[in-house]
Amino acid sequence: NAGVTQTPKFRILKIGQSMTLQCTQDMNHNYMYWYRQDPGMGLKLIYYSVGAGITDKGEVPNGYNVSRSTTEDFPLRLELAAPSQTSVYFCASSYGGGSYNEQFFGPGTRLTVL
Amino acid sequence: DAKTTQPTSMDCAEGRAANLPCNHSTISGNEYVYWYRQIHSQGPQYIIHGLKNNETNEMASLIITEDRKSSTLILPHATLRDTAVYYCIVLSGGSNYKLTFGKGTLLTVNP
């Protein structure tokens, strides 16, 4: 299994541009998540999904959108990029919640907005 | 979910046991203690979790006090590759799945 894969690994955007961060998992997990991590800080949850067609906001959803049309894919869309969105973005997946919340993380996408 | 308190940093000699403490004095009866770690620039990695009993797996042991107000993650024989930020997270049972990451403990394993 490849686990959780993310593309691209690095990206530089200009203010106002848009982009989609891709995330795919091959573990047939129902739950998927997007986090961002600013320098020296812990991860903050942006959006999450408990299954195909179901998404919900996390702690810091402003400026982002998600969709979940399949079990495997959970893309994150940035509209009108701003310097405050410069961060490392991690996608994760898990079988479930509670005692089944072992989350598997991807390698991250390092985004810089100039 | 209950909040956690961890030391900012710790050092450990290679080959020795690393004992990382976590305080979660407001933990509820149905809340689990999860540990993750993040090696520099990589995505976090799950280590272990527990509810009441002590747990052990191939990576580490988790010791939870009887009153459940604190726990200790033990890496029995630390190696240089264990240098990472370690996060202690309390998570409700049932359908709760939103991990809240604090700043964690930076463990540095020295040669």
Side-chain angles (χ1 to χ4, degrees):
Chain A
N1 289 345
V4 178
T5 57
Q6 294 182 237
T7 57
K9 285 186 170 57
F10 304 91
R11 185 72 185 269
I12 298 175
L13 284 181
K14 294 182 179 179
I15 294 172
Q17 287 185 320
S18 300
M19 75 166 293
T20 298
L21 283 66
Q22 301 292 345
C23 175
T24 300
Q25 54 93 8
D26 63 358
M27 296 172 282
N28 202 32
H29 285 165
N30 288 322
Y31 293 61
M32 295 189 74
Y33 317 82
W34 274 106
Y35 295 88
R36 60 175 286 172
Q37 185 174 33
D38 298 332
M41 305 296 288
L43 282 71
K44 292 185 177 180
L45 184 64
I46 305 171
Y47 270 95
Y48 62 95
S49 169
V50 300
I54 306 170
T55 63
D56 207 347
K57 297 178 181 178
E59 184 182 359
V60 289
N62 291 344
Y64 307 94
N65 279 299
V66 294
S67 60
R68 183 101 181 267
S69 57
T70 67
T71 298
E72 295 79 18
D73 301 307
F74 190 40
L76 177 71
R77 178 82 176 163
L78 276 70
E79 305 283 0
L80 299 174
S84 60
Q85 293 178 305
T86 294
S87 192
V88 181
Y89 292 83
F90 291 103
C91 178
S93 71
S94 69
Y95 172 73
S99 63
Y100 301 100
N101 203 354
E102 176 184 350
Q103 293 189 17
F104 294 81
F105 285 79
T109 294
R110 283 148 186 80
L111 176 67
T112 301
V113 181
L114 300 174
Chain B
D1 295 328
K3 291 187 175 180
T4 62
T5 304
Q6 298 178 254
T8 302
S9 63
M10 295 182 65
D11 287 309
C12 177
E14 188 177 20
R16 303 297 294 271
N19 296 277
L20 290 90
C22 180
N23 180 285
H24 31 79
S25 58
T26 60
I27 194 169
S28 300
N30 69 339
E31 291 183 319
Y32 290 81
V33 179
Y34 273 79
W35 283 84
Y36 282 76
R37 74 179 182 183
Q38 186 174 24
I39 296 170
H40 182 62
S41 298
Q42 298 181 20
Q45 177 189 24
Y46 165 84
I47 302 173
I48 198 167
H49 75 278
L51 182 64
K52 294 180 182 178
N53 300 321
N54 298 337
E55 302 287 345
T56 296
N57 62 20
E58 64 278 4
M59 289 183 66
S61 295
L62 174 60
I63 307 299
I64 303 174
T65 58
E66 191 169 346
D67 63 8
R68 302 187 69 240
K69 293 184 177 182
S70 65
S71 61
T72 301
L73 178 74
I74 301 173
L75 307 179
H77 304 287
T79 70
L80 298 179
R81 289 176 293 180
D82 292 322
T83 293
V85 177
Y86 288 76
Y87 298 99
C88 170
I89 300 168
V90 170
L91 183 72
S92 294
S95 62
N96 197 318
Y97 34 76
K98 291 182 280 186
L99 297 176
T100 300
F101 288 82
K103 293 190 176 182
T105 297
L106 172 60
L107 174 69
T108 303
V109 181
N110 300 305

